[in-house]
mmCIF file of all heavy atoms in Angstrom:
data_model
loop_
_atom_site.group_PDB
_atom_site.id
_atom_site.type_symbol
_atom_site.label_atom_id
_atom_site.label_comp_id
_atom_site.label_asym_id
_atom_site.label_seq_id
_atom_site.Cartn_x
_atom_site.Cartn_y
_atom_site.Cartn_z
ATOM 1 N N GLY B 41 -3.166 18.512 15.953
ATOM 2 C CA GLY B 41 -1.761 17.903 16.013
ATOM 3 C C GLY B 41 -1.613 16.581 15.176
ATOM 4 O O GLY B 41 -0.697 15.879 15.390
ATOM 5 N N ARG B 42 -2.569 16.511 14.223
ATOM 6 C CA ARG B 42 -2.438 15.302 13.426
ATOM 7 C C ARG B 42 -2.454 15.786 11.884
ATOM 8 O O ARG B 42 -2.665 16.843 11.581
ATOM 9 C CB ARG B 42 -3.665 14.374 13.682
ATOM 10 C CG ARG B 42 -3.621 13.847 15.179
ATOM 11 C CD ARG B 42 -4.688 12.920 15.456
ATOM 12 N NE ARG B 42 -4.515 11.670 14.819
ATOM 13 C CZ ARG B 42 -5.301 10.598 14.969
ATOM 14 N NH1 ARG B 42 -6.393 10.759 15.805
ATOM 15 N NH2 ARG B 42 -5.050 9.439 14.310
ATOM 16 N N GLY B 43 -2.348 14.644 11.096
ATOM 17 C CA GLY B 43 -2.268 14.903 9.667
ATOM 18 C C GLY B 43 -3.553 15.079 8.978
ATOM 19 O O GLY B 43 -4.669 15.199 9.702
ATOM 20 N N LEU B 44 -3.706 14.990 7.711
ATOM 21 C CA LEU B 44 -4.930 15.144 7.116
ATOM 22 C C LEU B 44 -5.600 13.814 6.740
ATOM 23 O O LEU B 44 -4.889 12.919 6.229
ATOM 24 C CB LEU B 44 -4.615 15.930 5.704
ATOM 25 C CG LEU B 44 -4.484 17.376 5.852
ATOM 26 C CD1 LEU B 44 -3.046 17.690 6.225
ATOM 27 C CD2 LEU B 44 -4.748 18.049 4.530
ATOM 28 N N GLN B 45 -6.870 13.684 6.997
ATOM 29 C CA GLN B 45 -7.589 12.565 6.598
ATOM 30 C C GLN B 45 -8.531 12.871 5.500
ATOM 31 O O GLN B 45 -9.472 13.768 5.679
ATOM 32 C CB GLN B 45 -8.364 12.032 7.883
ATOM 33 C CG GLN B 45 -9.174 10.778 7.593
ATOM 34 C CD GLN B 45 -10.019 10.415 8.806
ATOM 35 O OE1 GLN B 45 -10.571 11.211 9.569
ATOM 36 N NE2 GLN B 45 -10.185 9.125 9.096
ATOM 37 N N LEU B 46 -8.423 12.206 4.333
ATOM 38 C CA LEU B 46 -9.397 12.401 3.256
ATOM 39 C C LEU B 46 -10.647 11.802 3.627
ATOM 40 O O LEU B 46 -10.835 10.573 3.962
ATOM 41 C CB LEU B 46 -8.832 11.859 1.971
ATOM 42 C CG LEU B 46 -9.751 11.922 0.730
ATOM 43 C CD1 LEU B 46 -9.908 13.407 0.294
ATOM 44 C CD2 LEU B 46 -9.082 11.164 -0.419
ATOM 45 N N LEU B 47 -11.758 12.658 3.591
ATOM 46 C CA LEU B 47 -13.178 12.166 3.920
ATOM 47 C C LEU B 47 -13.937 11.804 2.622
ATOM 48 O O LEU B 47 -14.536 10.695 2.545
ATOM 49 C CB LEU B 47 -13.885 13.266 4.710
ATOM 50 C CG LEU B 47 -13.288 13.806 5.964
ATOM 51 C CD1 LEU B 47 -14.019 14.932 6.478
ATOM 52 C CD2 LEU B 47 -13.116 12.662 6.922
ATOM 53 N N PHE B 48 -13.997 12.720 1.625
ATOM 54 C CA PHE B 48 -14.648 12.543 0.433
ATOM 55 C C PHE B 48 -13.973 13.187 -0.711
ATOM 56 O O PHE B 48 -13.254 14.213 -0.496
ATOM 57 C CB PHE B 48 -16.131 13.235 0.519
ATOM 58 C CG PHE B 48 -16.977 12.699 1.621
ATOM 59 C CD1 PHE B 48 -17.006 13.304 2.835
ATOM 60 C CD2 PHE B 48 -17.672 11.604 1.457
ATOM 61 C CE1 PHE B 48 -17.746 12.985 3.862
ATOM 62 C CE2 PHE B 48 -18.513 11.094 2.448
ATOM 63 C CZ PHE B 48 -18.664 11.790 3.631
ATOM 64 N N TYR B 49 -14.143 12.625 -1.912
ATOM 65 C CA TYR B 49 -13.763 13.330 -3.025
ATOM 66 C C TYR B 49 -14.776 13.194 -4.261
ATOM 67 O O TYR B 49 -15.545 12.264 -4.118
ATOM 68 C CB TYR B 49 -12.361 12.869 -3.595
ATOM 69 C CG TYR B 49 -12.267 11.548 -4.156
ATOM 70 C CD1 TYR B 49 -12.364 11.350 -5.582
ATOM 71 C CD2 TYR B 49 -12.011 10.440 -3.351
ATOM 72 C CE1 TYR B 49 -12.315 10.101 -6.085
ATOM 73 C CE2 TYR B 49 -11.969 9.171 -3.945
ATOM 74 C CZ TYR B 49 -12.058 8.976 -5.235
ATOM 75 O OH TYR B 49 -11.996 7.698 -5.702
ATOM 76 N N SER B 50 -14.749 14.104 -5.117
ATOM 77 C CA SER B 50 -15.667 14.083 -6.157
ATOM 78 C C SER B 50 -15.053 14.503 -7.560
ATOM 79 O O SER B 50 -14.297 15.431 -7.613
ATOM 80 C CB SER B 50 -16.828 15.135 -5.917
ATOM 81 O OG SER B 50 -17.724 15.299 -7.026
ATOM 82 N N VAL B 51 -15.352 13.670 -8.573
ATOM 83 C CA VAL B 51 -14.743 14.010 -9.962
ATOM 84 C C VAL B 51 -15.769 14.708 -10.828
ATOM 85 O O VAL B 51 -15.513 14.979 -11.957
ATOM 86 C CB VAL B 51 -14.280 12.752 -10.497
ATOM 87 C CG1 VAL B 51 -13.066 12.131 -9.643
ATOM 88 C CG2 VAL B 51 -15.275 11.694 -10.727
ATOM 89 N N GLY B 52 -17.021 14.852 -10.302
ATOM 90 C CA GLY B 52 -18.020 15.527 -11.117
ATOM 91 C C GLY B 52 -19.250 15.711 -10.440
ATOM 92 O O GLY B 52 -19.545 15.240 -9.297
ATOM 93 N N ILE B 53 -20.278 16.543 -10.973
ATOM 94 C CA ILE B 53 -21.516 16.749 -10.338
ATOM 95 C C ILE B 53 -22.212 15.503 -9.833
ATOM 96 O O ILE B 53 -22.340 14.485 -10.766
ATOM 97 C CB ILE B 53 -22.421 17.587 -11.217
ATOM 98 C CG1 ILE B 53 -21.795 19.005 -11.479
ATOM 99 C CG2 ILE B 53 -23.822 17.814 -10.559
ATOM 100 C CD1 ILE B 53 -22.480 19.788 -12.479
ATOM 101 N N GLY B 54 -22.639 15.362 -8.681
ATOM 102 C CA GLY B 54 -23.359 14.202 -8.184
ATOM 103 C C GLY B 54 -22.492 12.927 -7.942
ATOM 104 O O GLY B 54 -23.048 11.925 -7.453
ATOM 105 N N GLN B 55 -21.193 13.082 -8.184
ATOM 106 C CA GLN B 55 -20.362 11.895 -8.065
ATOM 107 C C GLN B 55 -19.498 12.086 -6.821
ATOM 108 O O GLN B 55 -18.626 12.937 -6.710
ATOM 109 C CB GLN B 55 -19.402 11.690 -9.202
ATOM 110 C CG GLN B 55 -20.101 11.508 -10.528
ATOM 111 C CD GLN B 55 -19.123 11.397 -11.740
ATOM 112 O OE1 GLN B 55 -18.258 10.458 -11.779
ATOM 113 N NE2 GLN B 55 -19.270 12.412 -12.616
ATOM 114 N N ILE B 56 -19.809 11.228 -5.766
ATOM 115 C CA ILE B 56 -19.147 11.390 -4.479
ATOM 116 C C ILE B 56 -18.579 9.930 -4.128
ATOM 117 O O ILE B 56 -19.184 9.035 -4.228
ATOM 118 C CB ILE B 56 -20.136 11.746 -3.305
ATOM 119 C CG1 ILE B 56 -20.933 12.997 -3.813
ATOM 120 C CG2 ILE B 56 -19.368 11.967 -1.983
ATOM 121 C CD1 ILE B 56 -19.971 14.272 -3.888
ATOM 122 N N SER B 57 -17.271 10.053 -3.702
ATOM 123 C CA SER B 57 -16.697 8.894 -3.156
ATOM 124 C C SER B 57 -16.244 9.086 -1.705
ATOM 125 O O SER B 57 -15.724 10.135 -1.375
ATOM 126 C CB SER B 57 -15.379 8.507 -3.985
ATOM 127 O OG SER B 57 -15.694 8.192 -5.287
ATOM 128 N N SER B 58 -16.629 8.129 -0.893
ATOM 129 C CA SER B 58 -16.329 8.245 0.581
ATOM 130 C C SER B 58 -15.100 7.447 0.910
ATOM 131 O O SER B 58 -15.029 6.215 0.480
ATOM 132 C CB SER B 58 -17.579 7.747 1.318
ATOM 133 O OG SER B 58 -17.204 7.754 2.728
ATOM 134 N N GLU B 59 -14.247 7.976 1.641
ATOM 135 C CA GLU B 59 -13.003 7.395 1.946
ATOM 136 C C GLU B 59 -13.029 6.681 3.378
ATOM 137 O O GLU B 59 -12.323 5.728 3.560
ATOM 138 C CB GLU B 59 -11.892 8.313 2.030
ATOM 139 C CG GLU B 59 -11.445 8.873 0.603
ATOM 140 C CD GLU B 59 -10.967 7.754 -0.265
ATOM 141 O OE1 GLU B 59 -9.876 7.290 0.084
ATOM 142 O OE2 GLU B 59 -11.539 7.369 -1.273
ATOM 143 N N VAL B 60 -13.830 7.164 4.269
ATOM 144 C CA VAL B 60 -13.990 6.491 5.561
ATOM 145 C C VAL B 60 -15.408 6.403 6.062
ATOM 146 O O VAL B 60 -16.068 7.410 5.799
ATOM 147 C CB VAL B 60 -13.044 7.289 6.562
ATOM 148 C CG1 VAL B 60 -11.606 7.098 6.283
ATOM 149 C CG2 VAL B 60 -13.410 8.754 6.683
ATOM 150 N N PRO B 61 -15.751 5.411 6.754
ATOM 151 C CA PRO B 61 -17.124 5.327 7.280
ATOM 152 C C PRO B 61 -17.309 6.390 8.409
ATOM 153 O O PRO B 61 -16.373 6.432 9.222
ATOM 154 C CB PRO B 61 -17.229 3.894 7.764
ATOM 155 C CG PRO B 61 -15.791 3.543 8.057
ATOM 156 C CD PRO B 61 -14.978 4.168 7.025
ATOM 157 N N GLN B 62 -18.369 7.000 8.423
ATOM 158 C CA GLN B 62 -18.564 8.143 9.456
ATOM 159 C C GLN B 62 -20.046 8.568 9.307
ATOM 160 O O GLN B 62 -20.802 8.099 8.375
ATOM 161 C CB GLN B 62 -17.579 9.248 9.181
ATOM 162 C CG GLN B 62 -17.916 9.777 7.791
ATOM 163 C CD GLN B 62 -16.635 10.476 7.183
ATOM 164 O OE1 GLN B 62 -15.874 11.133 7.944
ATOM 165 N NE2 GLN B 62 -16.309 10.156 5.972
ATOM 166 N N ASN B 63 -20.406 9.477 10.182
ATOM 167 C CA ASN B 63 -21.727 10.093 10.185
ATOM 168 C C ASN B 63 -21.834 11.306 9.296
ATOM 169 O O ASN B 63 -22.722 12.059 9.407
ATOM 170 C CB ASN B 63 -22.288 10.359 11.557
ATOM 171 C CG ASN B 63 -21.594 11.538 12.172
ATOM 172 O OD1 ASN B 63 -20.403 11.641 12.116
ATOM 173 N ND2 ASN B 63 -22.342 12.345 12.861
ATOM 174 N N LEU B 64 -20.763 11.573 8.457
ATOM 175 C CA LEU B 64 -20.754 12.701 7.653
ATOM 176 C C LEU B 64 -21.162 12.297 6.144
ATOM 177 O O LEU B 64 -21.010 11.103 5.798
ATOM 178 C CB LEU B 64 -19.414 13.400 7.551
ATOM 179 C CG LEU B 64 -18.894 13.925 8.958
ATOM 180 C CD1 LEU B 64 -17.351 14.348 8.686
ATOM 181 C CD2 LEU B 64 -19.657 15.154 9.321
ATOM 182 N N SER B 65 -21.648 13.256 5.363
ATOM 183 C CA SER B 65 -21.962 12.948 4.057
ATOM 184 C C SER B 65 -21.550 14.178 3.199
ATOM 185 O O SER B 65 -21.237 15.298 3.714
ATOM 186 C CB SER B 65 -23.391 12.772 3.750
ATOM 187 O OG SER B 65 -24.205 13.827 4.231
ATOM 188 N N ALA B 66 -21.402 14.023 1.902
ATOM 189 C CA ALA B 66 -21.020 15.110 1.075
ATOM 190 C C ALA B 66 -21.996 15.124 -0.206
ATOM 191 O O ALA B 66 -22.457 14.110 -0.635
ATOM 192 C CB ALA B 66 -19.547 14.927 0.612
ATOM 193 N N SER B 67 -22.016 16.387 -0.754
ATOM 194 C CA SER B 67 -22.854 16.454 -1.994
ATOM 195 C C SER B 67 -22.198 17.523 -2.942
ATOM 196 O O SER B 67 -21.470 18.414 -2.418
ATOM 197 C CB SER B 67 -24.289 16.842 -1.642
ATOM 198 O OG SER B 67 -24.215 18.192 -1.016
ATOM 199 N N ARG B 68 -22.386 17.349 -4.114
ATOM 200 C CA ARG B 68 -21.872 18.243 -5.203
ATOM 201 C C ARG B 68 -23.103 18.719 -6.047
ATOM 202 O O ARG B 68 -23.180 18.105 -7.171
ATOM 203 C CB ARG B 68 -20.773 17.635 -5.965
ATOM 204 C CG ARG B 68 -20.041 18.618 -6.859
ATOM 205 C CD ARG B 68 -18.755 17.981 -7.464
ATOM 206 N NE ARG B 68 -18.145 18.936 -8.370
ATOM 207 C CZ ARG B 68 -16.937 18.707 -8.912
ATOM 208 N NH1 ARG B 68 -16.311 17.493 -8.709
ATOM 209 N NH2 ARG B 68 -16.467 19.491 -9.860
#
Side-chain angles (χ1 to χ4, degrees):
Chain B
R42 303 182 67 177
L44 284 80
Q45 180 185 37
L46 179 63
L47 302 176
F48 302 93
Y49 71 93
S50 171
V51 298
I53 297 175
Q55 301 178 62
I56 307 296
S57 296
S58 175
E59 291 293 294
V60 293
Q62 60 206 314
N63 71 320
L64 299 171
S65 61
S67 62
R68 185 171 177 174

